[in-house]
Amino acid sequence: MGRYPGRRIFLSLPPEAAHRLAGTLLGLPLPWERLGGAALDPRLGVSIAGIALRNPIGLAAGFDKRCAHLDALGRLGFGYLVGGTITRHSRYGNPKPRIARYPERRSMANSMGLPNPGAEAAVRNLAERPATAPRFVSLADQDPQDAFVALGLLAPFADAIELNASCPNVSWGRDRDGEGHLTELVKGFRARTDKPIFVKLPPFTTDVEREVVLALARVAQEAGASGLTCSNTRPVREPRLRVGEGGLSGRELFARTPAIVAEVRAATGGALAINACGGVSTAAEALACLEAGATTVQVYTALVYQGPGLIGDLTAGLSRALRDRGTDVPAFVGSA
Ligand SMILES: Cc1cc2nc3c(=O)[nH]c(=O)nc-3n(C[C@H](O)[C@H](O)[C@H](O)COP(=O)(O)O)c2cc1C
């Protein structure tokens, strides 16, 4: 694990150049199914908000910000994919450099600031390519009217919407004032689409943060969300980033992820589906998230360090655990 063809080349390039190279490769007709090596075990199948998934491993938002390679990423074997985050209008994001790696800690900090081509270009990208796995689209706009326009354009091409209410690299949606904003957005989305709506929350460490996040979870629930994604990156200072701070992702987040899932699940009475996200890189960690009450597990940073074989490692490890227990994935959820 942790070695894939070209890994040294990727990790020797500046992070955004490596990401562009990955995008170029994903545009080629390479044997993605074989490179991903996902286990094809029917017992891995789960259903989330009425969407059938072949396995519970999802690609987290931000990897394919343009929704331009979801077809190839689906062929790798992910159970589902989150494209975006997309805003109504295109955005350049923050000044570069805006990704710093910590290879020894298998973590990264980013201050991307939601660069994306805008909703209309994302629609073209989605429309031009086949759906090889269910496609969720992540949306975020400060102005609810912009978010509603983006939703109207993208919902017909998405199996579900993930509302990014937690990006540490933009100014909105981060404090208690976020409750009113979140209510307006979720209610507005609910009124405009029948597709499942997930709300992506920030992580928490302190009691104050915990109170804010659990309040946001309840607000999302009351406003009609179908599920929650726990969590996004954690704010950190990093002088190598041009703006001096960003969001931490990767292994360092994992220690808190199952506990956050369990607390959010308890705060919402077990009524909302939860996607775990934050530092998952092994099947044992994915299993811990499912046992804490998550229905699916999203990954991003582990894909950078471990390459496409990550999907094979996670699905094969979960499949083995299922066989040993004589059960299937839904039976894991909340079973710890
Ligand atoms: C470079 C980078 C860009 C990201 N962009 C987004 C984004 O646009 N929208 C979003 O909701 N999350 C974004 N994320 C956060 C991830 O989706 C995920 O929540 C976070 O990285 C924690 O998961 P991980 O530890 O498996 O990477 C980004 C993460 C990274 C590393």
Side-chain angles (χ1 to χ4, degrees):
M1 191 168 63
R3 295 284 173 265
Y4 58 94
R7 181 179 192 270
R8 276 182 47 183
I9 296 172
F10 274 106
L11 295 184
S12 68
L13 290 171
E16 286 203 57
H19 202 80
R20 277 195 301 278
L21 175 60
T24 304
L25 293 174
L26 285 165
L28 301 176
L30 295 176
W32 297 115
E33 286 87 352
R34 193 153 54 74
L35 290 167
L40 303 173
D41 179 348
R43 286 175 306 183
L44 289 173
V46 291
S47 165
I48 185 153
I51 304 168
L53 309 178
R54 62 192 162 202
N55 67 60
I57 307 300
L59 176 68
F63 190 88
D64 186 356
K65 289 177 175 291
R66 298 186 299 132
C67 299
H69 301 298
L70 296 180
D71 52 338
L73 288 160
R75 291 193 175 98
L76 283 176
F78 282 107
Y80 69 104
L81 311 152
V82 187
T85 295
I86 304 293
T87 49
R88 176 183 178 182
H89 301 293
S90 63
R91 288 171 58 95
Y92 287 110
N94 287 324
K96 298 173 183 175
R98 50 192 185 177
I99 302 181
R101 296 192 194 103
Y102 312 111
E104 67 295 347
R105 289 142 61 190
R106 297 280 175 114
S107 299
M108 307 198 292
N110 89 82
S111 57
M112 300 296 285
L114 306 182
N116 77 93
E120 283 173 17
V123 163
R124 282 194 295 278
N125 288 338
L126 288 166
E128 274 170 13
R129 293 167 180 86
T132 55
R135 304 184 297 191
F136 295 14
V137 175
S138 167
L139 297 180
D141 265 297
Q142 178 157 30
D143 180 343
Q145 296 312 318
D146 284 339
F148 299 153
V149 172
L151 176 81
L153 291 166
L154 283 154
F157 298 90
D159 295 288
I161 299 297
E162 186 179 84
L163 175 60
N164 179 2
S166 49
C167 180
N169 300 316
V170 292
S171 57
W172 65 89
R174 264 187 290 156
D175 48 29
R176 206 62 201 243
D177 298 343
E179 284 184 27
H181 190 227
L182 186 61
T183 302
E184 186 179 357
L185 283 169
V186 177
K187 282 195 170 159
F189 278 19
R190 193 66 295 159
R192 289 169 173 82
T193 181
D194 292 335
K195 300 278 167 79
I197 298 163
F198 292 89
V199 173
K200 188 166 178 182
L201 298 168
F204 54 86
T205 310
T206 65
D207 285 346
V208 174
E209 289 168 351
R210 176 176 177 276
E211 197 191 314
V212 170
V213 173
L214 296 184
L216 287 175
R218 287 190 210 98
V219 160
Q221 180 175 27
E222 278 158 29
S226 328
L228 302 166
T229 300
C230 307
S231 309
N232 211 315
T233 54
R234 189 170 79 206
V236 281
R237 297 207 167 281
E238 171 49 66
R240 284 183 289 160
L241 301 173
R242 177 78 178 277
V243 297
E245 56 192 16
L248 181 73
S249 66
R251 185 184 279 173
E252 272 173 271
L253 291 184
F254 179 73
R256 295 276 309 133
T257 302
I260 291 174
V261 167
E263 290 206 49
V264 169
R265 187 174 153 93
T268 49
L272 294 190
I274 297 180
N275 309 310
C277 185
V280 172
S281 65
T282 66
E285 291 167 351
L287 188 55
C289 292
L290 298 174
E291 287 176 338
T295 302
T296 81
V297 178
Q298 300 181 1
V299 294
Y300 183 150
T301 302
L303 191 62
V304 171
Y305 289 113
Q306 292 166 230
L310 170 71
I311 299 137
D313 290 340
L314 296 180
T315 51
L318 284 179
S319 180
R320 269 195 304 278
L322 293 170
R323 199 187 50 221
D324 293 349
R325 295 185 188 190
T327 180
D328 57 8
V329 170
F332 281 157
V333 177
S335 68

